[in-house]
Amino acid sequence: MKIQSPYQTYKRFRTLQTDTITSLPIVILMPHSACNCRCVMCDIWKGNHNLKQLSEADIQGLLDSLRKYETKQVLMTGGEAMLHANFFRFCEILKKEKIKISLLSTGLTMKKNAHLLVDGVDDIIVSLDGNEEIHNRIRNIPGAYLRLREGIEAVKSLKPSFPVSGRTVIQKLNFRHWAAILESAKQIGLNTVSFLPADVSSTAFNRAMQWELEKQHQIMLGEEDLGELGEVVEDIIDNYKGDFVSHFIVESPAKLRNIYQYYAACHGFNDFPYKKCNAPWVSTVIEADGTVRPCFFHNDYGNIKSDPLDKIINSPQAIRFRKNLDMAEDETCKKCVCYLNLKPHIQI
């Protein structure tokens, strides 16, 4: 854990206290709206025919704001960010600003881009949904698991120390295979793996509206699944103690139990697990059409194609949003599956 300078810590503390951004350590960037998977729990790929993407001019236009607010990390996500023809040019521009670049990827094109990745980004986070059979079924892409494994191997062959981590959405189609997911993560060479429940209630990820109940129940664990999920979670905690100690499993046992609590809350058996989050104060999301959001799940408050980023994130609307946001009561926050809590003194 690296500690920030006193001045940087003060600026981030002031942001949290005043709701006016004076430091923006993390920016989440979606260069390209399309995706090369057809995942059952995500609708991004359904918009592939309506392509949206950021231009080099858009990236250049962000630099003054990134410098002003001392942005330390850009997370490239999507869709699949590498589908953008200028993806590595974007990385080059940001690297010159000494910004760390993290890529969230399906992994399907890692192999052919391996030599560019080891120089162009600092770490990669890939989606892993199960062993080979389950992963391919959830991704709806034949050979997806093999291409993911070969991509990791290609990157590691060029730079063995290059960090590649995995992220798994635990849902109805894979929760019984949780142990197999962990074994697969080790076999394909991931450095760490993390777990989260499926978002079934928001309009994020290219959903024009909230999913109907029938679609939700294809992904969300049913009431009849909860007992088995609880047993699976406890088995993981009992059988993989060393992986918690080594942090190969990123979450603590308590956070894995929260996945059970989340699905139980979906059926009204308990409250949704408490989440401490400061994402709207330490980060922002910029979508492929330039839309700026405080996080993936809340409404937008501007567009970089119309206004500079610094003006958008400190507009009266944005400040009012942060000032009035009560995460303990806000329904979107209570049901959130992907949250961030970055303490002011921690350096990225």
Side-chain angles (χ1 to χ4, degrees):
M1 182 184 298
K2 295 181 179 180
I3 304 300
Q4 291 255 86
S5 72
Y7 179 64
Q8 290 171 323
T9 299
Y10 170 76
K11 288 177 69 176
R12 281 169 50 183
F13 179 78
R14 288 295 295 164
T15 294
L16 295 173
Q17 293 299 308
T18 66
D19 302 304
T20 298
I21 301 291
T22 55
S23 174
L24 187 69
I26 299 172
V27 170
I28 300 159
L29 204 60
M30 300 180 183
H32 194 277
S33 66
C35 190
N36 51 11
C37 282
R38 301 168 62 87
C39 302
V40 297
M41 65 284 190
C42 177
D43 287 347
I44 289 175
W45 57 273
K46 294 181 180 179
N48 285 0
H49 63 284
N50 185 27
L51 178 63
K52 300 170 186 175
Q53 56 184 347
L54 297 176
S55 67
E56 182 172 336
D58 293 326
I59 304 301
Q60 294 282 5
L62 290 173
L63 296 184
D64 284 345
S65 295
L66 302 187
R67 294 182 192 119
K68 178 178 179 179
Y69 296 120
E70 299 179 312
T71 298
K72 304 298 182 185
Q73 182 182 24
V74 168
L75 280 75
M76 296 284 205
T77 185
E80 171 55 65
M82 283 192 291
L83 290 177
H84 198 300
N86 289 329
F87 172 75
F88 290 103
R89 172 59 182 155
F90 294 174
C91 294
E92 179 186 357
I93 293 168
L94 295 169
K95 280 281 191 178
K96 287 181 179 178
E97 302 296 322
K98 302 190 183 328
I99 293 173
K100 176 184 176 182
I101 300 173
S102 297
L103 170 64
L104 282 69
S105 176
T106 64
L108 297 185
T109 62
M110 280 176 61
K111 182 178 180 180
K112 74 174 186 178
N113 290 305
H115 62 294
L116 295 170
L117 286 167
V118 295
D119 293 325
V121 306
D122 294 279
D123 67 285
I124 302 172
I125 304 165
V126 297
S127 300
L128 177 66
D129 295 304
N131 58 17
E132 186 165 9
E133 177 191 355
I134 300 299
H135 182 82
N136 289 348
R137 187 192 310 168
I138 290 175
R139 295 272 126 185
N140 272 319
I141 298 291
Y145 183 90
L146 177 61
R147 290 166 67 180
L148 172 61
R149 189 189 73 196
E150 289 179 343
I152 296 169
E153 290 172 350
V155 167
K156 296 282 189 178
S157 69
L158 294 171
K159 189 175 181 180
S161 63
F162 191 92
V164 184
S165 57
R167 182 174 294 172
T168 299
V169 175
I170 295 295
Q171 41 126 321
K172 192 177 186 73
L173 300 178
N174 66 5
F175 80 95
R176 295 181 177 89
H177 306 277
W178 203 326
I181 294 170
L182 278 166
E183 296 304 323
S184 296
K186 294 175 182 179
Q187 290 167 11
I188 65 177
L190 294 178
N191 295 89
T192 63
V193 62
S194 63
F195 300 96
L196 70 162
D199 169 49
V200 297
S201 62
S202 81
T203 56
F205 313 114
N206 198 44
R207 298 171 192 160
M209 59 187 67
Q210 184 177 326
W211 277 344
E212 294 181 356
L213 285 177
E214 181 180 356
K215 175 62 176 177
Q216 290 184 34
H217 287 297
Q218 292 174 15
I219 306 301
M220 180 176 70
L221 275 71
E223 184 177 335
E224 70 280 3
D225 298 318
L226 293 177
E228 189 174 358
L229 172 63
E231 293 174 1
V232 170
V233 169
E234 294 306 318
D235 285 345
I236 294 297
I237 292 171
D238 288 342
N239 297 331
Y240 290 89
K241 290 184 173 69
D243 290 321
F244 290 102
V245 173
S246 69
H247 299 292
F248 178 74
I249 299 175
V250 172
E251 289 79 16
S252 66
K255 286 190 175 181
L256 289 198
R257 290 188 176 108
N258 279 347
I259 295 178
Y260 169 86
Q261 295 295 328
Y262 170 86
Y263 283 116
C266 289
H267 294 283
F269 291 109
N270 50 250
D271 293 334
F272 283 93
Y274 172 74
K275 295 166 284 289
K276 193 172 184 179
C277 177
N278 58 16
W281 290 263
V282 301
S283 66
T284 196
V285 174
I286 303 172
E287 297 182 347
D289 63 353
T291 296
V292 178
R293 298 180 185 273
C295 71
F296 286 109
F297 305 103
H298 280 287
N299 292 334
D300 70 278
Y301 42 40
N303 192 297
I304 62 167
K305 294 183 183 294
S306 303
D307 295 293
L309 180 62
D310 61 339
K311 181 178 178 181
I312 294 169
I313 61 176
N314 277 329
S315 67
Q317 177 186 356
I319 294 172
R320 185 168 55 251
F321 167 80
R322 290 189 289 270
K323 191 177 294 291
N324 294 334
L325 181 60
D326 183 348
M327 293 185 174
E329 297 298 328
D330 185 89
E331 289 300 317
T332 296
C333 292
K334 286 196 290 187
K335 297 178 181 180
C336 183
V337 300
C338 185
Y339 52 95
L340 170 68
N341 183 39
L342 184 63
K343 296 179 180 178
H345 66 282
I346 301 302
Q347 180 179 330
I348 295 174

